[in-house]
Amino acid sequence: MKRVNGRIMTVFFFALAVLFLAAVTAAGWVFSEEALVTDFSRKNLGPGLQYLFGTDWLGRDMFIRTLTGLSMSIRIGILAAGVSSVLALLLGTMAATMGKTVDAVITWVIDLVMGIPHILLLILISYALGKGLKGVVVGVALTHWTSLARVIRGEVMQLKEALYIRTARKLGVGGFEIAWKHMFPHLFPQFLVGLILTFPHAILHEASITFLGFGLSPEQPAVGIILSESMKYLAMGRWWLALFPGLFLVFTVVLFDVAGENLRRLMDPGSVHI
Amino acid sequence: MVLEAKHISFQYGKDSRQILEDFSLRIESHERVGLAAPSGFGKTTFCKILSGYEEPDRGEILLDGRPLSSYGRYCPVQMIWQHPEQVVNPRLRMREVLKEGDGIEDRILQGLGIEEDWKNRFPAEISGGEMQRFCIARALGKRTKFLLADEISTMLDLITQSQIWSFLMEEVERREIGLLAVSHSMPLLESVCTRICDLSAGI
């Protein structure tokens, strides 16, 4: 059998993951109305050809509900992960460049946030902000920036001492140009990969606190809502209400992870030989 | 112009060895001074202090009686390092690297034998000797008054070495740039320099 080039495979997996996630997001947008349509003539149907994932106790199509729920989760994930990564970039750079006191304070905050279990802090923040979309996004953003901030702090500190940057300073190159020409190209891949690897965490945590009742409101077809509502019906043998949305949530999370990991390998200069 | 190092003492961290102890040196613009010492005697460290990369524990560096920091962003004392690959950003093409210098003239590039198509390459695509020529060129900007050459030719073959050194000598003489050449090769220093100073003798 002819061996496929590792780099092509990596690009292929990355593209596949991105394509799937984009398709789910778009589908959720298109079907957002239909996910709420109830039809009592078709309630409690098992999975079949007409309704792939079955229907629930109000006769709503579970396939469409799963798609819209995932789409919602992905959009929240992107928003929360984006905010969280920008926060990490700012705080990490500040810690590395603004002197010992700022560094000590930011490092202390990082340790503090990392020391408290994510889910607990997330529930507290979300609850304090009145739950809903705002609570979830702010909660996830404020709890997920720490590890990326640490990485960026370390990178910037190392770069600052790099001989080629110190030489550039001696040659009169200005601070902005050093940041843009020397530091940014080095930090950007790390930042992007960090951003993508934050998505799966953000999505899972969004789903968990929504499931626990501290997240999105019940009218929104989020995966967490679908799962928590279906719990009541599991004992009645309607397993499909939880199985498919749960599986697809896991699948989405894994795909984000695959995308991030493959992107990291593509951008790492040492990976030419994979 | 005069570059003076006055009573320099230096060590890396409190617990490490004393590298320089009350060392003084005076270089004038028309001079080419050789600095000789065995490995580990602080030749590179002294160059780093002279060009402002390290602060001495005691003593001071003066250029025409003023500290280096009073000369604005471009440091008039430029250092050429022993390992060119450490002072070139691996993500920039050599053309960009040259642009960091202060208006490097084509004459300098020709004198150093830099070929046109090398400029489009990345540092990983040229040899150490080729990269070193770019570093030498970059340090020869218009506002450079003193040049510190720290073992700059160790990775070059003899023909290239002599080509580069004869160009450098001509250039510093014409522009009245003071030169401090560091090497442990005595024959090289004897042929290049107007006087030689032994760093190990003072300790």
Side-chain angles (χ1 to χ4, degrees), chain B residues 117-134:
Chain B
D117 68 311
W118 296 355
K119 290 188 199 162
N120 288 325
R121 298 191 196 165
F122 285 103
E125 295 169 331
I126 59 177
S127 74
E130 287 162 0
M131 209 188 301
Q132 186 64 303
R133 299 181 212 211
F134 279 98

Side-chain angles (χ1 to χ4, degrees), chain A residues 4-21 255 258-263 265-266 274:
Chain A
V4 185
N5 181 319
R7 203 172 170 82
I8 293 174
M9 286 297 277
T10 315
V11 175
F12 177 73
F13 277 123
F14 176 69
L16 202 67
V18 171
L19 204 67
F20 175 83
L21 295 170
L255 272 187
V258 167
E261 191 55 31
N262 283 316
L263 188 66
R265 286 165 67 184
L266 285 178
I274 53 169

Side-chain angles (χ1 to χ4, degrees), chain A:
Chain A
M1 195 180 93
K2 196 174 161 239
R3 212 176 145 269
V4 185
N5 181 319
R7 203 172 170 82
I8 293 174
M9 286 297 277
T10 315
V11 175
F12 177 73
F13 277 123
F14 176 69
L16 202 67
V18 171
L19 204 67
F20 175 83
L21 295 170
V24 168
T25 315
W29 216 298
V30 175
F31 293 127
S32 61
E33 290 297 315
E34 285 164 58
L36 300 172
V37 172
T38 55
D39 180 352
F40 289 98
S41 66
R42 59 174 194 194
K43 64 180 180 179
N44 297 330
L45 295 175
L49 277 182
Q50 200 182 351
Y51 301 107
L52 278 177
F53 293 179
T55 59
D56 67 3
W57 61 98
L58 291 173
R60 293 175 293 193
D61 186 341
M62 285 310 286
F63 178 66
I64 286 175
R65 267 176 82 70
T66 304
L67 277 186
T68 38
L70 279 179
S71 161
M72 186 89 187
S73 292
I74 292 172
R75 275 178 283 161
I76 290 179
I78 289 176
L79 190 60
V83 174
S84 148
S85 306
V86 171
L87 200 65
L89 184 68
L90 283 179
L91 288 172
T93 317
M94 276 166 68
T97 51
M98 292 178 74
K100 276 190 180 153
T101 326
V102 177
D103 186 26
V105 171
I106 292 177
T107 313
W108 181 77
V109 175
I110 290 177
D111 289 340
L112 185 75
V113 173
M114 278 187 148
I116 305 172
H118 268 175
I119 195 78
L120 196 66
L121 195 58
L122 196 48
I123 289 174
L124 281 176
I125 295 173
S126 174
Y127 197 72
L129 289 172
K131 304 195 275 187
L133 187 68
K134 193 175 81 179
V136 172
V137 171
V138 174
V140 172
L142 286 184
T143 47
H144 285 72
W145 57 276
T146 47
S147 49
L148 184 59
R150 255 193 194 172
V151 171
I152 286 178
R153 171 180 170 271
E155 284 294 330
V156 173
M157 280 189 152
Q158 208 182 2
L159 276 178
K160 234 177 32 165
E161 288 306 307
L163 220 39
Y164 62 82
I165 287 180
R166 299 184 67 194
T167 306
R169 285 224 172 84
K170 291 276 168 216
L171 287 161
V173 180
F176 179 74
E177 214 182 327
I178 285 186
W180 177 246
K181 264 195 179 160
H182 290 293
M183 294 195 167
F184 177 74
H186 191 90
L187 283 176
F188 182 68
Q190 314 248 15
F191 173 73
L192 195 64
V193 172
L195 174 75
I196 291 182
L197 289 180
T198 316
F199 287 160
H201 287 270
I203 290 173
L204 271 188
H205 277 129
E206 178 269 316
S208 349
I209 65 163
T210 304
F211 178 81
L212 293 171
F214 298 103
L216 302 176
S217 53
E219 320 79 79
Q220 284 160 316
V223 178
I225 299 283
I226 297 175
L227 288 177
S228 77
E229 281 180 347
S230 65
M231 285 301 118
K232 288 182 274 188
Y233 298 92
L234 275 188
M236 299 180 194
R238 292 181 207 144
W239 49 271
W240 60 88
L241 294 181
L243 180 72
F244 294 115
L247 271 184
F248 263 68
L249 179 66
V250 173
F251 189 55
T252 305
V253 167
V254 169
L255 272 187
F256 264 120
D257 213 46
V258 167
E261 191 55 31
N262 283 316
L263 188 66
R264 189 191 62 72
R265 286 165 67 184
L266 285 178
M267 285 187 157
D268 179 6
S271 71
V272 238
H273 305 294
I274 53 169

Side-chain angles (χ1 to χ4, degrees), chain B residues 27-45:
Chain B
I27 311 171
E28 289 186 30
S29 280
H30 55 83
E31 277 187 307
R32 297 191 300 273
V33 180
L35 189 65
S39 298
F41 270 80
K43 302 185 297 277
T44 301
T45 305

Side-chain angles (χ1 to χ4, degrees), chain B:
Chain B
M1 292 182 106
V2 189
L3 179 64
E4 283 174 296
K6 284 185 167 171
H7 309 290
I8 300 294
S9 296
F10 184 83
Q11 61 189 129
Y12 288 101
K14 282 198 180 89
D15 303 321
S16 67
R17 185 169 61 88
Q18 189 75 31
I19 295 178
L20 295 166
E21 181 77 70
D22 198 23
F23 183 75
S24 299
L25 184 71
R26 184 188 153 90
I27 311 171
E28 289 186 30
S29 280
H30 55 83
E31 277 187 307
R32 297 191 300 273
V33 180
L35 189 65
S39 298
F41 270 80
K43 302 185 297 277
T44 301
T45 305
F46 182 62
C47 286
K48 278 156 89 173
I49 293 172
L50 261 186
S51 49
Y53 284 91
E54 298 283 353
E55 283 293 316
D57 297 333
R58 283 188 301 283
E60 54 185 347
I61 303 294
L62 297 173
L63 180 60
D64 272 357
R66 279 160 56 199
L68 283 182
S69 53
S70 69
Y71 281 85
R73 284 216 311 232
Y74 189 91
C75 180
V77 182
Q78 285 293 329
M79 174 163 177
I80 307 169
W81 298 73
Q82 182 176 7
H83 303 291
E85 62 282 354
Q86 291 177 355
V87 288
V88 167
N89 184 343
R91 290 175 194 265
L92 291 185
R93 287 183 196 277
M94 297 319 291
R95 186 182 298 284
E96 299 289 316
V97 172
L98 272 183
K99 271 193 204 146
E100 289 182 337
D102 180 30
I104 308 302
E105 297 165 45
D106 282 342
R107 180 179 51 81
I108 295 175
L109 303 184
Q110 277 157 18
L112 288 166
I114 292 174
E115 286 170 24
E116 194 57 37
D117 68 311
W118 296 355
K119 290 188 199 162
N120 288 325
R121 298 191 196 165
F122 285 103
E125 295 169 331
I126 59 177
S127 74
E130 287 162 0
M131 209 188 301
Q132 186 64 303
R133 299 181 212 211
F134 279 98
C135 291
I136 297 171
R138 184 174 65 168
L140 281 170
K142 288 187 186 117
R143 282 173 284 176
T144 300
K145 301 293 177 217
F146 281 88
L147 205 58
L148 314 178
D150 180 18
E151 299 271 18
I152 61 168
S153 55
T154 32
M155 82 289 287
L156 303 171
D157 60 86
L158 284 176
I159 298 170
T160 320
Q161 248 186 49
S162 66
Q163 179 199 357
I164 284 179
W165 274 112
S166 65
F167 168 77
L168 255 186
M169 282 164 70
E170 206 184 287
E171 183 76 10
V172 296
E173 202 153 343
R174 200 173 59 78
R175 286 170 54 184
E176 289 222 335
I177 293 176
L179 177 77
L180 180 75
V182 174
S183 176
H184 40 230
S185 155
M186 265 305 181
L188 175 72
L189 291 184
E190 274 161 7
S191 66
V192 168
C193 300
T194 49
R195 78 185 154 96
I196 291 174
C197 155
D198 193 348
L199 188 59
S200 56
I203 297 178

